[in-house]
């Protein structure tokens, strides 16, 4: 049976549709609690807590709540999840991206119980969502080998009707009003490095940005590096 962690609120409509479509599915509006805390619960809680300290937004409770209280809550939640799933071999978990505190703890507990977990996220193309058994975005099961995508392109019809999907793509709406000056000049010919940008504060930057700390930092780094590009090369940036 499918067990769906119903967070964040923006994903609940999608999750509810899945639960209604798949018989036997269950909603988890919050993580269960148990006082049966063991060494494994303490280790999982510590892993999630330390991850949140370095990646969670500063306003998240895991950043300002006293360490001893935060760890105890996480330990009890992990123990509650294990109590629910250790003896439920048919359970399959589903959560949104599996990165933030409750979702990360949910996925860890399911894996420790020997259960599968699926991860949902917005797909790169408009109007689609993605489900992956490994993770999302940087952690997804998509091949890292460029030849995989070249072979896929070679198998597409000569009409290239699949490119029409790209016409539906648009810039993400910004929350802060600003004046944007568009450059209508055609892109230069020649080899280039393609760099897709993210929204500021996105979990992909917070978790996997490594030494790149923000989009502003990335753009500044690209500006400096562009001075050393080979002759005839240029950089192309794509807004999120």
């Amino acid at each position: 049976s499918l067990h769906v962690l119903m967070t964040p609120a923006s994903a609940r409509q999608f999750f509810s549709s899945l639960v209604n479509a798949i018989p036997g599915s269950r909603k988890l509006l919050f993580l269960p609690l148990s006082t049966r805390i063991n060494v494994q619960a303490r280790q999982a809680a510590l892993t999630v807590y330390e991850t949140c300290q370095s990646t969670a937004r500063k306003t998240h409770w895991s950043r300002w709540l006293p360490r001893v209280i935060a760890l105890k809550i996480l330990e009890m939640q992990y123990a509650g999840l294990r109590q629910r799933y250790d003896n439920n071999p048919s359970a399959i978990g589903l959560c949104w991206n599996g990165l933030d505190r409750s979702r990360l703890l949910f996925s860890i507990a399911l894996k420790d119980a020997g259960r599968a977990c699926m991860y949902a996220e917005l797909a790169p193309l408009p109007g689609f969502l993605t489900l992956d058994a490994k993770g999302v975005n940087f952690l997804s099961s998509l091949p890292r080998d460029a030849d995989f995508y070249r072979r896929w392109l070679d198998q597409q019809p000569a009409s290239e009707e699949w490119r029409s999907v790209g016409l539906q793509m648009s810039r993400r709406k910004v929350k802060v009003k600003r004046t944007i000056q568009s450059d209508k000049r055609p892109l230069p010919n020649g080899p280039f490095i393609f760099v897709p940008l993210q929204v500021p504060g996105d979990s992909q930057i917070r978790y996997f940005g490594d030494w790149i700390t923000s989009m502003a930092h990335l753009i500044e780094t690209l500006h400096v590096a562009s001075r050393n590009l080979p002759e005839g090369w240029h950089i192309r940036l794509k807004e999120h």
Side-chain angles (χ1 to χ4, degrees), residues 40-51:
Q40 203 169 17
R42 294 189 179 94
Q43 182 57 54
L46 185 61
T47 297
V48 173
Y49 177 81
E50 291 181 343
T51 299

Side-chain angles (χ1 to χ4, degrees), residues 201 205-206 209-218:
I205 304 302
R206 290 184 282 116
D210 199 15
W211 59 277
I212 295 294
T213 58
S214 65
M215 283 296 94
H217 184 202
L218 173 61

Side-chain angles (χ1 to χ4, degrees), residues 60-75:
H60 197 279
W61 69 262
S62 58
R63 292 287 295 270
W64 54 262
L65 199 65
R67 174 186 172 93
V68 63
I69 297 177
L71 284 174
K72 183 57 65 176
I73 292 173
L74 292 168
E75 290 169 1

Side-chain angles (χ1 to χ4, degrees), residues 8-212:
S10 58
R12 285 178 184 169
Q13 182 177 359
F14 165 64
F15 285 152
S16 294
S17 299
L18 282 180
V19 171
N20 294 334
I22 302 176
S25 298
R26 297 182 181 181
K27 296 180 181 179
L28 273 74
L29 298 178
F30 53 85
L31 298 184
L33 298 175
S34 174
T35 57
R36 298 180 181 179
I37 297 171
N38 56 22
V39 174
Q40 203 169 17
R42 294 189 179 94
Q43 182 57 54
L46 185 61
T47 297
V48 173
Y49 177 81
E50 291 181 343
T51 299
C52 287
Q53 290 305 297
S54 60
T55 60
R57 293 181 174 89
K58 293 181 179 180
T59 55
H60 197 279
W61 69 262
S62 58
R63 292 287 295 270
W64 54 262
L65 199 65
R67 174 186 172 93
V68 63
I69 297 177
L71 284 174
K72 183 57 65 176
I73 292 173
L74 292 168
E75 290 169 1
M76 293 175 66
Q77 288 176 329
Y78 177 88
L81 287 166
R82 288 298 302 271
Q83 185 173 328
R84 172 170 295 193
Y85 294 119
D86 277 355
N87 298 314
N88 192 346
S90 65
I92 298 176
L94 173 62
C95 65
W96 191 263
N97 74 36
L99 296 177
D100 291 333
R101 184 197 61 83
S102 60
R103 291 163 249 164
L104 177 59
L105 189 69
F106 178 74
S107 64
I108 291 175
L110 278 164
K111 290 179 180 179
D112 289 347
R115 311 296 172 240
C117 188
M118 297 286 290
Y119 305 91
E121 182 58 277
L122 294 174
L125 299 176
F128 289 86
L129 292 167
T130 177
L131 291 176
D132 198 306
K134 185 177 178 181
V136 300
N137 298 333
F138 181 79
L139 295 177
S140 74
S141 57
L142 287 173
R144 267 53 172 179
D145 181 10
D147 286 340
F148 170 86
Y149 302 96
R150 294 190 182 100
R151 290 193 296 269
W152 175 87
L153 184 60
D154 290 340
Q155 295 170 3
Q156 300 311 303
S159 64
E160 296 191 351
E161 292 181 0
W162 58 272
R163 290 185 181 273
S164 62
V165 177
L167 299 176
Q168 305 173 36
M169 301 179 71
S170 61
R171 179 192 296 123
R172 175 177 288 199
K173 294 181 180 179
V174 295
K175 296 181 180 179
V176 179
K177 291 184 178 180
R178 56 177 178 165
T179 301
I180 301 176
Q181 295 182 347
S182 299
D183 191 337
K184 301 298 184 180
R185 291 178 298 177
L187 293 171
N189 294 321
F192 61 89
I193 299 174
F194 175 66
V195 183
L197 302 180
Q198 258 294 354
V199 294
D202 189 87
S203 60
Q204 297 306 301
I205 304 302
R206 290 184 282 116
Y207 279 81
F208 310 115
D210 199 15
W211 59 277
I212 295 294

